[in-house]
Amino acid sequence: DVQLQASGGGLVQAGGSLRLSCAASGFTFDDYAIGWFRQAPGKEREGVACIGRIDGSTYYADSVKGRFTISSDNAKNTVYLQMSSLKPEDTAVYYCAALEGEVPIATIPLPSVMDYWGKGTLVTVSS
């Protein structure tokens, strides 16, 4: 079975850091781009960051550029999202998702095109 397990969420003060992990299993990890998405209460799910498979290219939402870093440990089939300088507006449920093949255009794919989703992990940033 395909599984994407996100973990690492929690409560942090503004300015703090968290590292989210997305452990993948049940599919050929090297064949999929992995993205992080988030959904805040009352808002649509939005892309945060994505890492491509072929050359490991990374893409970020403007709102997190310079603060978040996505990386991949292929030996562990795990993708990380290092979040720094967190802001209250980063509060959301964070999800990881997988897309077969390469990122179609040089940006974070829309949530609707992702093939597999994991359950989310809640990140709460207090002011």
Side-chain angles (χ1 to χ4, degrees):
D1 290 347
V2 171
Q3 288 194 2
L4 292 166
Q5 183 64 52
S7 61
L11 174 63
V12 63
Q13 288 189 332
S17 300
L18 279 175
R19 188 179 79 158
L20 305 184
S21 299
C22 174
S25 62
F27 61 94
T28 305
F29 186 71
D30 291 349
D31 291 344
Y32 285 74
I34 304 293
W36 283 99
F37 298 78
R38 67 186 181 187
Q39 188 164 18
K43 294 188 176 182
E44 292 187 354
R45 192 168 297 188
E46 63 175 356
V48 175
C50 185
I51 186 164
R53 287 293 95 199
I54 295 177
D55 60 3
S57 295
T58 56
Y59 310 93
Y60 297 93
D62 288 343
S63 58
V64 307
K65 278 181 183 175
R67 299 189 299 122
F68 291 10
T69 302
I70 188 170
S71 62
S72 178
D73 185 337
N74 292 352
K76 296 182 178 180
N77 284 7
T78 299
V79 171
Y80 302 98
L81 185 69
Q82 179 68 46
M83 306 186 295
S84 303
S85 302
L86 283 161
K87 305 175 181 180
E89 51 263 44
D90 294 318
T91 295
V93 177
Y94 284 71
Y95 302 87
C96 59
L99 172 67
E100 186 174 8
E102 190 48 271
V103 176
I105 56 176
T107 187
I108 303 170
L110 292 174
S112 58
V113 307
M114 303 304 285
D115 294 310
Y116 302 115
W117 288 88
K119 294 182 180 180
T121 185
L122 176 62
V123 172
T124 303
V125 184
S126 63
S127 57

